[in-house]
Amino acid sequence: MSKLTMEPKTATVDSASPGAPVRLTWAGLKRSTIFYPFVGLVVVCLVMVFASNSFLSAANIENIARQVSINAIIAVGMTCVILTGGVDLSVGSVMALSGTLAAGLMVSGMNAVAALVVGIAVGLGFGVANGIFVAFAGMPPIIVTLATMGIARGLALIYTGGYPIDGLPDWVAFFGNGKVLGVQMPVVIMLVVYLLAWVLLERMPFGRYVYAIGGNEDATRLSGVRVARVKLIVYGLAGLTSALAAIVLTARLMSGQPNAGVGFELDAIAAVVMGGTSISGGRGSIVGTLIGALLLGVLNNGLNMVGVNPYVQNVIKGGIILLAIYISRDRRRK
Amino acid sequence: MSKLTMEPKTATVDSASPGAPVRLTWAGLKRSTIFYPFVGLVVVCLVMVFASNSFLSAANIENIARQVSINAIIAVGMTCVILTGGVDLSVGSVMALSGTLAAGLMVSGMNAVAALVVGIAVGLGFGVANGIFVAFAGMPPIIVTLATMGIARGLALIYTGGYPIDGLPDWVAFFGNGKVLGVQMPVVIMLVVYLLAWVLLERMPFGRYVYAIGGNEDATRLSGVRVARVKLIVYGLAGLTSALAAIVLTARLMSGQPNAGVGFELDAIAAVVMGGTSISGGRGSIVGTLIGALLLGVLNNGLNMVGVNPYVQNVIKGGIILLAIYISRDRRRK
Amino acid sequence: MNSILRLDNITKSFPGVKALQGIHLDVAAGEVHALLGENGAGKSTLMKILSGIYQPDEGTITLNGTTRTFADYHDAVAAGIGIVFQEFSLIPFLNAVENIFLGRELRKGFLLDRAAMRRSAAAIFARLKVDIDLSVPIRELSVAQQQFVEIGKALSLEARILILDEPTATLTPSEAEHLFDIMRELKTQGVAMIFISHHLDEIFEVCDRITVLRDGQYVGDTAVADTDVSRLVEMMVGRKIENSFPPKPPPRANAKAVLEVEALQIDKDGPVNAFVLREGEILGFAGLVGSGRTETALAVIGADPAHVKKVKINGRDMKLADPAASLDAGIGILPESRKTEGLITDFSIKQNISINNFGKYRQARFFIDQRNEARTTAAIMKRVGVKAPTMNTQVSTLSGGNQQKVVIARWLNHHANILIFDEPTRGIDVGAKAEIYLLMRELTGRGYAIIMISSELPEIVGMSDRVAVFRQGRIEAILEGEQITSNAVMTHATTASAASLEQGVSHE
Amino acid sequence: AEPLKIGMTFQELNNPYFVSMQKALNEAAASIGAQVFVTDAHHDVSKQVSDVEDMLQKKIDILLVNPTDSTGIVSAVNSAKKAGVVVVAVDANANGPVDSFVGSKNYDAGVMSCEYLGKAIGSTGEVAILDGIPVVPILERVRGCKAALAKFPNIKLVDTQNGKQERATALSVTENMIQAHPNLKGVFSVNDGGSMGALAAIDASGKDIKLTSVDGAPEAITAMQKPDSKFIETSAQFPRDQVRIAIGIALAKKWGANVPKVIPIDVKLIDKSNAKGFSW
Ligand SMILES: Nc1ncnc2c1ncn2[C@@H]1O[C@H](COP(=O)(O)OP(=O)(O)OP(=O)(O)O)[C@@H](O)[C@H]1O
Ligand SMILES: Nc1ncnc2c1ncn2[C@@H]1O[C@H](COP(=O)(O)OP(=O)(O)OP(=O)(O)O)[C@@H](O)[C@H]1O
Ligand SMILES: O[C@H]1[C@H](O)[C@@H](O)OC[C@H]1O
Ligand SMILES: [Mg+2]
Ligand SMILES: [Mg+2]
């Protein structure tokens, strides 16, 4: 310690709490980015319970969890990307490419595990390519990933010739509807991905860098963080989670679909933002994204359960998204 | 004085040029946001001329201009929105709603001009609603317009029952392929919209506010600009240009199409960004957007003219977008 | 006294902070009124209340004898109040003309009268005697030029009460001198001014009366004629501050060179510089604003590109491709602009301090040891004297000076042993300045080597063991020991040496 | 002489149905030495109009149009006719002065599938329709299906949801329908794009829900032949034949023949009994 003189009271470090967790107060809770999304989820669930008596059955809850899994997995990578202030529009197409490639290689006789690995590697590779353009060439994410979205879709169509790829080995179905300890595989995969992402973002330096880049990229760079590398990894993660989602989807459909995932990028973005993550980066949480994905899943499922006309569903869904975001909007703005 | 004193002579005014126009220098040209987009357009055109001998015919140029018009008109509103740092995903759906509504009302016997006015008013209204959510409720544009995108599409489908509306009065076709002084109406409308937008953005205070908000919203507010009102108008303009595009589209297709415009938001964003406007706002130009829209149009047309396989077109288009943005990226990054 | 503005009993709290308590301020027409206080004393907050940006919890504002409330900034502007904010409020991509007239454009019918605006902007800058390129975006101007655009903007409001919140922090003395001239002229026109600065000599040069705040409380007011520097400091700090510069250690005979910049050429046609930084020393970078000190520092650490760069660290050739590589090599930087380059404003104090030093808080190799992180942060905060409710407070709510301390704190616990401090005391109050000087000496005592870029001549003279003087991008001279005098530094900073004249080298 | 130029614009090319059609087109064209240009509208009728305009610039002689929307395509048909091009619509009709239309009897297909479904579930119980993109052929199938179902007084149509003719969407939509209607006995899917997703949902539910559809896509045929398959019927179309006939008609027209305005192609009921050996 230096012998700096100063009035003790000007050094009002909160000596009570070094290392102590932030206290759980009502005010603190309301300030958390997941408070309103969580309330929104609860409210929507309650409404659905009253509107449809089959909504709250064990089978339907299982159903929702399984349906949510694909979007939720993609949204993990999307969360990281959005936290850095970027966006990834290519996730749906990359998913289609990974899935058709893995399926195609399996059917063409490649060792199944190797085929899966290739599929995942291609997803990761596309993500890394996005990352290189964004991080090292300094190009805007929205347009980079719009371009790779077209490229990945084109490649999937060229590879399959437009046909879905069928005839996968039976054990692939395990990833789609097998169970581990009574929980379905898509849900297991989803939960594992979320757990890992949570550790990464909340408990490891990498996560801090992700948030810091979204908060102030220049300051983060000048403080010695390898910003470009972090971004590269973040886009790589988005490619990786797209590829994982591709495996779940391929297993659920038991085929590789070149036209799968159209519009999935918007669903994933919606899940992230409805989960309280700021679209301009720097603020948010992975738990919020899971809540956001559940909220969208419950909406889709619930409106079907109630038997709402599909055209009208569009309108109701839009209205509820508006309402949810209205309630959870950042009130701190000047 | 405690600070380093300096010789007065180093602090004199650049007396050379008060009030003088900006000099056109090579460096100044390269700094302009439209320099690289323009070069890109020229290069792509040259390539197409060599690749296809029917590309450079008067008929085909007319053809391209007409094809570009719808996206180019939508991109005008999108430019304003993006300049303020926002984005509008609802443009395609709003176009569908405006178009089907105008068509439906005409067919149901309403006075045709009144029907057009209602269609345009509804587009404007949707834009204004987006603006209210974004500007006054402080909700993030991407998610607000994602929601209204669903709502507008749903309403168009409900209104039409999913069927296209045809049987429009013959004179409607004038907006789709009539000619004024030898120029086709869609092109005339496009040029008029661009001229007005140019005056608005470059020669009127409103335009300054649009750029200023994208550059530093808080500071703009402090300068006394009614930021919320400007944003409201900007989103309103996006709704309005979507509705104008709807008229051109309805006239070209001679029917109201509830499924029209899916994915148009991405085309419009691509035109804006390829035209040199920064996706984070504050920098760019309306002329650039026209160039960007032309670039995309030439690509689409040229690849068809050369007879490239549709699957491969996706890949080539993505590649060229990447290349164009790579070349025109902001090199002064820090 | 003929008071045109009175603030009475102003009180304002933020969550966890009592920023102002019972403040009085009385300003007479045509007077320049200084507002003094340490960092976080509440000066900026009080001015934001006066200009309608914040609402007071209690208290009244009386303008020309009538009690007023300003619902927002426009109310205040309409009432004749103009403000130059401490934090820049310019639009980076618009040019100076567009910035000055933003929100009040001159028109011809519906259209902008661009020529008229350009003319009057040029007139304003002519009056300020500054050289501003009116056609380039603001972000391409230097920090000082931007500050002048801010001032020009406030001047163009023709306010009756003009608030200047630390306008001189980024100005050279001659530029400040011009500003003071203009302030004196405005005074004769009856404009009242509230002037905030941490430079006490400026207060004595240009102000008539002084109000002092401490910890959000009103301490007192006094006429400038009735006080002196040491009494003012005591009012502000509550104690006497002796000599602000700690003694320089005797020069070490064989201190080893830690950083050797053998050649650094930033632009292809620019000058080539070379200098050495030795263990345990403070190397001052002196020069006029815009003389290329920041550029040089950023190029050395690889944050900006350089045309030619040959650098050795501890005798070994190093590439230093980017700030991260420089950090690996042991170089850390405290950037010039804390807000845009220093802080992650959404982060807490703790997160800002530990962002680049997780090596210290690793648990089981990959995870952050949060307990250790908090403990260490608390200690560092105490050492630097950051004034904040807790270490989890968001830095965006801290006063300017406290934000600066957070950025400094980041380096105190770091393995980096070569530090570049770019204007480390900009916006820092006298008390805290002394603390920062002590800290710097303590660091060099532990073997750190520091490059200190500063526009404060006394600071350069008082703190540097050696001084590199920049002029138009070139290091004109490197002074040491007895050679370091205000005169010598000034001469080299402003006059081209015979040698460089002969070679006909000129930066522009 | 210049080779004959044939342009064909497809509503989409990521459906085996249209991919097969394209292959047949290429084979047929090759056999007569014609040059082929193909475009993919991605279900966007304005893109389709532009695509046609581009092909007209290339001076095609014959335009085969598979409209993504029958009314929206009319201006393209007009331009083509104005340019002296022979225009034949395939799979879905186009408004305007087309020379001929070759396509399935879609209404009949709906009737066929839903009659079969009704009988298979014993003329009683709850059924649902898995709808698709609202274009004429699809809407016609739904209309036909509803007409057929109306003949079974004890069958109740409890739900109509949109599977977008796409497997993944169809899968979750069907899952939800099964949850919402625990007594569901049958599902009619408007085409085989959606039917495969619906089948996955039905199989996973373990329930005895019968599925019928339209198209006769290869995956559907395979699935139908599995033991105990819930997929019991598809009203098969003949995409290859459609395009071959269309080319023939177009040539005939070009040579001056008077050609019929509409050439309806029968659909064929395919179930377990005759699935083996069927292919497009
Ligand atoms: N928006 C805010 N939210 C919470 N606390 C704030 C906010 N603005 C200011 N404060 C607190 O109020 C106190 C006074 O800050 P202020 O900026 O007025 O100080 P200052 O006297 O201008 O200091 P400096 O000389 O460093 O600029 C500080 O403790 C600061 O942390
Ligand atoms: N963003 C920029 N764009 C264009 N020119 C710049 C920019 N920043 C600095 N310059 C110019 O580069 C030169 C060196 O500036 P630099 O900031 O390194 O000077 P300095 O000595 O650190 O002074 P200070 O930081 O006090 O302004 C000056 O001519 C300045 O005007
Ligand atoms: O007839 C076809 C239909 O027009 C299309 O939409 O889907 C494939 C086939 O069913
Ligand atoms: Mg302050
Ligand atoms: Mg500097």
Side-chain angles (χ1 to χ4, degrees):
Chain A
M1 275 301 295
S2 77
K3 292 198 233 18
L4 289 183
T5 35
M6 65 170 70
E7 286 177 288
K9 73 162 187 260
T10 60
T12 44
V13 178
D14 179 13
S15 51
S17 65
V22 187
R23 272 159 310 215
L24 275 179
T25 61
W26 180 241
L29 211 64
K30 281 180 73 173
R31 209 165 338 127
S32 143
T33 55
I34 64 169
F35 175 76
Y36 289 106
F38 185 73
V39 171
L41 178 61
V42 170
V43 170
V44 170
C45 285
L46 285 178
V47 171
M48 292 302 175
V49 168
F50 283 105
S52 153
N53 37 24
S54 28
F55 178 79
L56 199 67
S57 66
N60 194 44
I61 288 171
E62 212 178 6
N63 193 24
I64 294 176
R66 192 179 51 231
Q67 290 177 3
V68 156
S69 61
I70 290 174
N71 182 28
I73 292 171
I74 296 178
V76 166
M78 189 67 88
T79 304
C80 298
V81 170
I82 290 181
L83 278 176
T84 65
V87 73
D88 187 349
L89 301 181
S90 70
V91 287
S93 300
V94 169
M95 183 181 82
L97 180 61
S98 285
T100 48
L101 214 59
L105 293 174
M106 267 182 218
V107 170
S108 77
M110 185 189 258
N111 169 298
V113 175
L116 282 185
V117 169
V118 172
I120 292 180
V122 167
L124 182 67
F126 252 85
V128 168
N130 283 334
I132 290 174
F133 288 118
V134 171
F136 290 96
M139 295 155 67
I142 198 168
I143 199 88
V144 165
T145 57
L146 186 65
T148 52
M149 165 176 163
I151 295 177
R153 177 73 58 195
L155 292 177
L157 286 167
I158 293 172
Y159 178 69
T160 60
Y163 289 95
I165 295 176
D166 283 326
L168 302 185
D170 283 342
W171 59 266
V172 172
F174 174 73
F175 291 109
N177 48 29
K179 290 201 175 187
V180 174
L181 303 174
V183 186
Q184 310 163 89
M185 266 311 278
V187 181
V188 170
I189 296 176
M190 171 180 88
L191 292 178
V192 170
V193 170
Y194 270 82
L195 186 70
L196 292 177
W198 183 84
V199 170
L200 188 70
L201 286 176
E202 300 294 326
R203 288 289 177 265
M204 290 175 62
F206 179 81
R208 287 280 176 88
Y209 301 153
V210 169
Y211 281 92
I213 291 172
N216 185 343
E217 187 169 330
D218 286 337
T220 309
R221 182 176 302 113
L222 280 177
S223 70
V225 174
R226 290 183 204 283
V227 168
R229 194 158 73 181
V230 173
K231 282 194 181 179
L232 186 80
I233 297 177
V234 159
Y235 284 87
L237 284 177
L240 185 65
T241 53
S242 302
L244 289 176
I247 292 181
V248 174
L249 183 74
T250 307
R252 288 200 71 199
L253 300 174
M254 280 309 272
S255 74
Q257 292 283 334
N259 58 353
V262 173
F264 278 26
E265 64 285 355
L266 293 183
D267 288 344
I269 293 170
V272 173
V273 179
M274 304 222 11
T277 293
S278 157
I279 191 74
S280 46
R283 258 166 338 127
S285 77
I286 192 70
V287 178
T289 298
L290 186 54
I291 294 176
L294 281 171
L295 190 50
L296 289 175
V298 166
L299 271 179
N300 281 329
N301 169 278
L303 292 174
N304 276 344
M305 300 298 284
V306 178
V308 177
N309 168 310
Y311 298 165
V312 179
Q313 286 195 15
N314 288 316
V315 178
I316 297 183
K317 241 169 76 181
I320 293 183
I321 292 178
L322 277 182
L323 193 71
I325 298 287
Y326 177 76
I327 293 171
S328 65
R329 74 194 186 281
D330 192 358
R331 286 176 178 67
R332 298 180 323 148
R333 60 193 303 266
K334 305 128 233 193
Chain B
M1 282 298 302
S2 70
K3 295 214 269 178
L4 193 50
T5 6
M6 104 204 283
E7 285 175 293
K9 71 162 188 265
T10 58
T12 46
V13 187
D14 173 19
S15 50
S17 65
V22 186
R23 273 158 308 223
L24 272 179
T25 62
W26 179 243
L29 211 64
K30 282 182 74 171
R31 202 170 26 190
S32 142
T33 55
I34 64 169
F35 176 76
Y36 289 107
F38 184 73
V39 171
L41 177 62
V42 170
V43 170
V44 170
C45 285
L46 285 178
V47 171
M48 293 302 176
V49 167
F50 283 104
S52 153
N53 36 23
S54 27
F55 177 78
L56 197 68
S57 66
N60 194 43
I61 288 170
E62 209 179 9
N63 192 24
I64 293 175
R66 192 179 52 233
Q67 291 177 4
V68 156
S69 61
I70 290 175
N71 182 29
I73 292 172
I74 296 178
V76 167
M78 189 68 88
T79 305
C80 298
V81 170
I82 290 181
L83 278 175
T84 66
V87 72
D88 187 349
L89 301 181
S90 70
V91 287
S93 300
V94 168
M95 183 182 80
L97 179 61
S98 285
T100 49
L101 215 58
L105 292 175
M106 269 182 218
V107 170
S108 76
M110 186 188 260
N111 171 298
V113 176
L116 282 185
V117 170
V118 172
I120 292 180
V122 166
L124 183 66
F126 252 86
V128 168
N130 283 333
I132 291 175
F133 288 119
V134 171
F136 290 97
M139 295 154 66
I142 197 168
I143 198 86
V144 165
T145 57
L146 187 65
T148 52
M149 163 175 162
I151 294 176
R153 177 72 60 197
L155 292 177
L157 286 167
I158 293 171
Y159 178 69
T160 59
Y163 288 89
I165 295 176
D166 58 357
L168 302 185
D170 284 343
W171 59 265
V172 172
F174 174 73
F175 291 110
N177 48 29
K179 290 201 176 186
V180 174
L181 303 174
V183 185
Q184 310 164 89
M185 267 309 279
V187 181
V188 171
I189 296 177
M190 171 179 88
L191 292 178
V192 169
V193 170
Y194 270 83
L195 186 69
L196 291 177
W198 183 85
V199 171
L200 188 70
L201 286 177
E202 301 294 326
R203 287 291 177 267
M204 289 174 65
F206 179 81
R208 288 284 165 81
Y209 304 155
V210 169
Y211 281 93
I213 290 172
N216 185 344
E217 186 170 330
D218 287 337
T220 308
R221 191 172 294 114
L222 279 179
S223 301
V225 175
R226 290 185 205 285
V227 169
R229 195 161 73 182
V230 174
K231 282 195 183 178
L232 186 79
I233 297 176
V234 158
Y235 284 87
L237 284 177
L240 186 65
T241 53
S242 301
L244 290 176
I247 292 180
V248 175
L249 182 78
T250 306
R252 285 201 75 198
L253 303 178
M254 277 311 271
S255 62
Q257 292 282 339
N259 293 313
V262 173
F264 278 27
E265 65 283 355
L266 294 182
D267 288 344
I269 293 172
V272 173
V273 178
M274 303 220 11
T277 293
S278 157
I279 189 73
S280 44
R283 246 169 347 133
S285 76
I286 193 71
V287 179
T289 298
L290 186 54
I291 295 177
L294 281 171
L295 189 49
L296 289 174
V298 167
L299 269 180
N300 282 328
N301 170 275
L303 293 174
N304 274 345
M305 297 303 282
V306 178
V308 177
N309 166 309
Y311 298 165
V312 179
Q313 287 197 14
N314 290 314
V315 178
I316 296 183
K317 242 170 79 180
I320 292 182
I321 292 178
L322 277 182
L323 194 70
I325 297 287
Y326 176 77
I327 293 169
S328 65
R329 74 195 186 282
D330 191 0
R331 286 176 178 68
R332 302 185 338 135
R333 60 197 296 266
K334 46 180 277 185
Chain C
M1 188 186 78
N2 165 24
S3 124
I4 70 160
L5 172 71
R6 265 178 69 111
L7 303 186
D8 279 304
N9 200 29
I10 300 283
T11 297
K12 175 77 184 171
S13 297
F14 295 110
V17 188
K18 195 126 206 187
L20 297 171
Q21 245 177 316
I23 305 293
H24 301 283
L25 181 67
D26 202 332
V27 181
E31 142 181 295
V32 181
H33 195 114
L35 192 55
L36 285 189
E38 289 180 287
N39 294 131
K43 305 178 295 291
S44 298
T45 304
L46 187 65
M47 293 302 99
K48 285 181 183 165
I49 285 173
L50 178 53
S51 49
I53 291 159
Y54 293 153
Q55 302 304 314
D57 300 338
E58 273 173 51
T60 54
I61 302 175
T62 312
L63 196 63
N64 294 319
T66 46
T67 304
R68 302 289 300 261
T69 51
F70 300 134
D72 59 22
Y73 178 69
H74 305 290
D75 278 4
V77 170
I81 293 171
I83 180 166
V84 173
F85 292 100
Q86 182 173 13
E87 307 293 350
F88 283 137
S89 57
L90 297 172
I91 315 297
F93 306 119
L94 297 186
N95 65 32
V97 185
E98 292 164 340
N99 265 289
I100 285 181
F101 287 97
L102 185 64
R104 331 170 269 118
E105 288 76 7
L106 307 180
R107 307 172 188 216
K108 266 190 306 209
F110 287 112
L111 301 183
L112 295 167
D113 189 346
R114 303 199 306 158
M117 288 191 281
R118 200 178 160 94
R119 268 194 311 273
S120 49
I124 288 168
F125 292 122
R127 194 165 143 206
L128 293 177
K129 297 188 172 55
V130 281
D131 175 5
I132 305 261
D133 185 343
L134 296 182
S135 55
V136 303
I138 282 287
R139 69 161 180 174
E140 296 185 11
L141 302 178
S142 70
V143 178
Q145 289 173 320
Q146 295 184 26
Q147 177 67 279
F148 255 92
V149 176
E150 283 269 13
I151 293 168
K153 185 174 172 185
L155 283 180
S156 73
L157 285 170
E158 306 287 346
R160 302 305 298 159
I161 298 172
L162 182 62
I163 301 166
L164 299 149
D165 194 349
E166 300 196 33
T168 56
T170 54
L171 297 186
T172 62
S174 64
E175 287 161 338
E177 229 15 272
H178 292 307
L179 175 64
F180 297 156
D181 285 344
I182 287 169
M183 288 169 69
R184 290 186 194 104
E185 189 192 317
L186 289 172
K187 217 164 114 170
T188 64
Q189 298 164 13
V191 177
M193 280 157 279
I194 301 172
F195 180 77
I196 301 176
S197 172
H198 292 290
H199 298 292
L200 298 183
D201 49 349
E202 294 176 352
I203 306 295
F204 286 93
E205 181 172 351
V206 76
C207 296
D208 304 306
R209 276 185 343 123
I210 302 169
T211 294
V212 179
L213 307 184
R214 191 200 308 154
D215 287 337
Q217 314 237 359
Y218 172 79
V219 177
D221 68 16
T222 169
V224 167
D226 301 341
T227 188
D228 60 31
V229 171
S230 71
R231 264 191 283 175
L232 273 185
V233 170
E234 203 175 335
M235 278 175 89
M236 284 164 58
V237 189
R239 69 190 144 86
K240 279 216 158 59
I241 295 207
E242 279 93 44
N243 191 356
S244 58
F245 299 115
K248 292 186 193 177
R252 280 199 271 170
N254 44 11
K256 81 173 199 283
V258 287
L259 169 68
E260 294 163 85
V261 176
E262 295 178 335
L264 180 70
Q265 186 181 29
I266 292 171
D267 298 317
K268 212 161 126 213
D269 313 312
V272 184
N273 285 322
F275 62 89
V276 172
L277 177 68
R278 302 207 178 89
E279 190 182 32
E281 78 168 350
I282 295 177
L283 172 64
F285 272 14
L288 303 180
V289 170
S291 58
R293 299 157 298 171
T294 300
E295 256 179 355
T296 300
L298 291 179
V300 167
I301 64 164
D304 281 355
H307 185 59
V308 175
K309 179 161 101 178
K310 278 174 69 185
V311 179
K312 279 194 171 125
I313 306 251
N314 295 323
R316 293 195 16 228
D317 283 325
M318 288 284 184
K319 268 234 174 81
L320 304 185
D322 57 24
S326 297
L327 187 63
D328 287 347
I331 310 181
I333 189 166
L334 177 96
E336 185 170 22
S337 161
R338 61 180 165 257
K339 187 106 173 216
T340 61
E341 299 168 333
L343 292 169
I344 296 135
T345 45
D346 270 347
F347 268 25
S348 67
I349 297 174
K350 176 178 75 184
Q351 290 170 325
N352 264 291
I353 292 179
S354 56
I355 183 68
N356 59 6
N357 203 9
F358 287 110
K360 282 248 167 17
Y361 320 122
R362 282 277 160 88
Q363 192 184 37
R365 192 167 167 81
F366 290 119
F367 302 104
I368 302 173
D369 179 348
Q370 299 195 317
R371 223 163 232 297
N372 188 3
E373 183 190 14
R375 201 179 317 119
T376 314
T377 307
I380 303 174
M381 270 174 76
K382 202 172 261 160
R383 199 157 122 207
V384 192
V386 177
K387 189 185 158 192
T390 78
M391 74 178 81
N392 295 315
T393 303
Q394 267 196 17
V395 297
S396 58
T397 66
L398 299 182
S399 80
N402 277 303
Q403 291 182 345
Q404 184 79 349
K405 290 183 192 169
V406 171
V407 194
I408 293 179
R410 187 181 287 161
W411 297 111
L412 288 188
N413 189 38
H414 209 279
H415 75 269
N417 57 358
I418 301 172
L419 297 178
I420 303 176
F421 282 10
D422 197 349
E423 309 284 4
T425 62
R426 175 171 287 173
I428 298 264
D429 65 51
V430 276
K433 251 185 197 171
E435 289 159 13
I436 287 172
Y437 295 147
L438 262 172
L439 272 170
M440 287 170 67
R441 272 300 166 206
E442 188 212 319
L443 288 171
T444 53
R446 276 161 46 192
Y448 282 63
I450 296 178
I451 292 175
M452 182 185 74
I453 303 177
S454 173
S455 302
E456 310 275 328
L457 192 50
E459 188 168 281
I460 287 284
V461 174
M463 288 299 293
S464 310
D465 299 310
R466 295 187 306 131
V467 178
V469 189
F470 284 69
R471 186 177 164 278
Q472 293 190 349
R474 165 189 294 279
I475 296 180
E476 283 293 331
I478 295 191
L479 311 173
E480 45 189 304
E482 300 293 295
Q483 298 172 320
I484 306 177
T485 63
S486 308
N487 249 332
V489 172
M490 239 158 49
T491 312
H492 287 292
T494 56
T495 327
S497 69
S500 66
L501 278 179
E502 272 160 29
Q503 290 162 12
V505 175
S506 132
H507 188 53
E508 306 257 311
Chain D
E2 281 264 299
L4 186 77
K5 290 183 182 170
I6 304 175
M8 179 153 190
T9 172
F10 286 95
Q11 56 178 282
E12 63 169 342
L13 272 176
N14 47 19
N15 181 337
Y17 180 85
F18 295 111
V19 180
S20 305
M21 199 181 273
Q22 188 201 349
K23 288 201 170 138
L25 167 69
N26 287 338
E27 289 158 14
S31 73
I32 57 171
Q35 207 182 341
V36 176
F37 302 101
V38 166
T39 62
D40 175 2
H42 304 300
H43 287 292
D44 175 354
V45 66
S46 60
K47 177 172 192 306
Q48 192 162 36
V49 170
S50 297
D51 285 343
V52 171
E53 290 170 346
D54 290 348
M55 291 194 288
L56 294 178
Q57 297 298 325
K58 298 197 66 76
K59 309 269 184 290
I60 51 172
D61 306 288
I62 292 172
L63 174 66
L64 303 181
V65 54
N66 163 232
T68 192
D69 183 87
S70 312
T71 49
I73 199 69
V74 69
S75 70
V77 174
N78 284 325
S79 319
K81 284 316 294 176
K82 220 180 281 168
V85 173
V86 177
V87 181
V88 177
V90 185
D91 176 65
N93 202 354
N95 292 3
V98 286
D99 294 298
S100 188
F101 161 51
V102 182
S104 297
K105 299 174 177 168
N106 284 303
Y107 181 85
D108 292 1
V111 172
M112 190 182 277
S113 292
C114 287
E115 254 173 23
Y116 194 96
L117 182 65
K119 285 185 194 139
I121 61 173
S123 303
T124 172
E126 298 182 352
V127 297
I129 295 178
L130 186 63
D131 206 340
I133 299 163
V135 292
V136 174
I138 302 295
L139 294 163
E140 284 295 289
R141 289 172 207 171
V142 173
R143 206 165 60 85
C145 171
K146 284 183 176 163
L149 290 178
K151 298 211 188 93
F152 298 93
N154 294 326
I155 287 185
K156 202 171 151 219
L157 176 60
V158 291
D159 211 348
T160 301
Q161 295 291 348
N162 198 328
K164 303 198 175 145
Q165 302 176 197
E166 195 255 316
R167 265 193 214 201
T169 316
L171 168 61
S172 30
V173 165
T174 310
E175 282 175 340
N176 291 340
M177 291 199 296
I178 294 172
Q179 291 299 328
H181 307 285
N183 300 321
L184 199 65
K185 284 269 148 16
V187 173
F188 167 64
S189 164
V190 292
N191 81 357
D192 279 340
S195 69
M196 296 309 292
L199 183 62
I202 292 169
D203 285 346
S205 77
K207 293 192 165 179
D208 184 20
I209 299 173
K210 304 285 194 246
L211 173 68
T212 64
S213 177
V214 178
D215 274 359
E219 317 98 81
I221 300 299
T222 314
M224 206 174 287
Q225 296 176 64
K226 293 208 174 123
D228 276 337
S229 179
K230 303 289 181 262
F231 199 158
I232 54 171
E233 187 266 359
T234 182
S235 301
Q237 307 191 78
F238 298 90
R240 288 176 188 268
D241 290 350
Q242 286 183 23
V243 81
R244 288 174 189 134
I245 295 171
I247 293 174
I249 289 286
L251 285 174
K253 173 77 191 174
K254 202 172 160 44
W255 296 327
N258 258 325
V259 298
K261 273 276 148 203
V262 182
I263 303 177
I265 311 276
D266 284 334
V267 288
K268 183 175 181 197
L269 190 152
I270 303 283
D271 63 7
K272 207 173 187 124
S273 65
N274 60 353
K276 197 166 158 58
F278 177 86
S279 89
W280 282 337

